[in-house]
Amino acid sequence: MSTLTPTRPSLRGPVRVLLRQHRRALWAALALMLTGMGFVVALRVWIAVSSSEELCADGDVTPCGDAVYLSTYARTSTEVFLADGGSAMLLLAALVGVFVAGPLIARELESGTFRFAWAQSVRPARWLAARLATRMALATAGTVVLMLVYRWGRSAVDQFPLAFGLDWYAKGVYPALGPVALGYTVLAVALGALCAMVVRRTLVAVSATLLLFGLVALAMGKLRYRLWPSVRLTGDAHPQGSIWHLDSGMLTASGQEVGREDCLTVDGFTDHVACMRARGGVTPFIDYHPASHFWPLQLVETGILLALAAVAVIVAFRVLRRRTV
């Protein structure tokens, strides 16, 4: 009577070779991720330790009821560091794209080492798919962890009065708060593969990836407020809560907008309201995004990024197919 002993599953084929070949870079990426996580945790601990210096429950170090607000040094420093969390996430995504474009694909194409893998019964499409899928899985998993840790760290200071630079819509914060971070990571991997397949030169592929990724990130930052319809409030009322202020001014009787910028070069008017009324303004208005627009804006931008990534991957495989036929 024979017994079957279960075998421990292991990675096979090009994925296993890929992990072994680039294990140093993967360990370095893991160390970088753990460093970032540890930094955020250290800031939270610093705030907790410094809480004994706070005289009020809201973090104010001045006597309770004083009209002057002054946060502790721990909170101020944490605000400064976390205010660029989204920018750091974009930078990490760009580095992922650089790695995919350079050492992962373009270097093999440039040196010709890809022929060894193709000679071992590994089809070109499978060879490229293994590099994309493996890097995509590792990068997105790391992005999710960093995003959650960042949100946790930001929650320690964002709830306090006069928290500076941590608004949900801030350019340095927004990319790290939701699925947009995943969208940029996936796009970076896709652009890296596309540039590597097209140019087949390491330095050129790296440069092209950085250029394309930077252009997309810049364009999305400029057009983000247009991705979801804004809210217009008219009259003397003011919106409540954390809002993304877009525009304000007055409306004429015919509905034409008169903005504050229209009064910047008008001589004799120091009061913007008086200036706008002199130009026919009747009703004040404010255009803004309320906090409830955070998720619609995030999902729309993520969808655009994933669509661009899908196009880049499809084109990369078509280029590979044409060069191997």
Side-chain angles (χ1 to χ4, degrees):
M1 182 176 179
S2 62
T3 59
L4 296 177
T5 58
T7 58
R8 187 176 64 179
S10 61
L11 293 173
R12 300 289 183 180
V15 174
R16 183 176 181 179
V17 173
L18 179 64
L19 292 178
R20 289 179 61 85
Q21 182 180 2
H22 298 283
R23 59 185 180 275
R24 291 184 178 178
L26 295 176
W27 280 114
L30 178 61
L32 183 62
M33 184 181 72
L34 293 177
T35 300
M37 295 170 56
F39 187 70
V40 175
V41 172
L43 291 175
R44 284 290 301 255
V45 172
W46 188 17
I47 291 178
V49 172
S50 302
S51 61
S52 59
E53 302 175 7
E54 299 172 351
L55 301 182
C56 300
D58 62 358
D60 193 346
V61 299
T62 59
C64 295
D66 196 325
V68 179
Y69 176 84
L70 179 64
S71 64
T72 61
Y73 181 68
R75 293 192 185 279
T76 303
S77 301
T78 301
E79 290 172 5
V80 172
F81 287 122
L82 295 184
D84 289 323
S87 301
M89 293 288 281
L90 290 180
L91 177 60
L92 290 176
L95 292 177
V96 170
V98 165
F99 178 77
V100 172
L104 196 62
I105 298 179
R107 182 177 296 174
E108 291 195 37
L109 295 175
E110 187 176 10
S111 62
T113 55
F114 67 94
R115 296 188 181 91
F116 175 78
W118 294 3
Q120 304 298 317
S121 300
V122 177
R123 295 181 179 180
R126 186 185 175 191
W127 172 83
L128 179 58
R131 277 147 180 76
L132 283 177
T134 304
R135 192 60 183 176
M136 195 85 72
L138 295 174
T140 53
T143 300
V144 170
V145 173
L146 288 175
M147 179 188 67
L148 294 176
V149 171
Y150 178 78
R151 288 178 64 93
W152 172 73
R154 175 179 173 270
S155 65
V157 289
D158 183 55
Q159 58 184 326
F160 291 93
L162 303 181
F164 179 75
L166 293 177
D167 298 300
W168 61 269
Y169 52 83
K171 289 185 178 181
V173 175
Y174 182 86
L177 290 180
V180 162
L182 292 175
Y184 278 109
T185 300
V186 173
L187 177 64
V189 174
L191 289 178
L194 174 61
C195 294
M197 294 306 305
V198 171
V199 301
R200 301 167 69 93
R201 293 293 183 271
T202 302
L203 292 179
V204 180
V206 167
S207 301
T209 300
L210 286 176
L211 176 61
L212 291 177
F213 183 84
L215 289 176
V216 172
L218 180 62
M220 297 307 297
K222 294 288 186 181
L223 301 176
R224 182 170 295 141
Y225 73 98
R226 295 179 178 269
L227 299 181
W228 195 257
S230 60
V231 175
R232 168 163 289 185
L233 183 64
T234 58
D236 296 327
H238 294 280
Q240 302 297 320
S242 178
I243 67 165
W244 182 1
H245 182 274
L246 302 178
D247 194 13
S248 62
M250 300 190 74
L251 299 175
T252 64
S254 61
Q256 183 179 359
E257 297 180 3
V258 180
R260 292 177 177 270
E261 64 277 3
D262 297 327
C263 297
L264 295 179
T265 58
V266 177
D267 296 331
F269 286 102
T270 58
D271 187 349
H272 287 91
V273 176
C275 171
M276 290 186 288
R277 290 192 182 278
R279 288 175 169 265
V282 177
T283 306
F285 77 90
I286 298 176
D287 291 337
Y288 67 98
H289 282 298
S292 59
H293 285 188
F294 169 78
W295 284 109
L297 288 168
Q298 282 270 332
L299 294 176
V300 171
E301 184 170 350
T302 303
I304 294 174
L305 296 173
L306 294 180
L308 293 175
V311 172
V313 170
I314 292 173
V315 175
F317 274 97
R318 287 190 176 183
V319 172
L320 176 65
R321 182 179 179 182
R322 288 184 179 182
R323 291 184 171 178
T324 55
V325 171

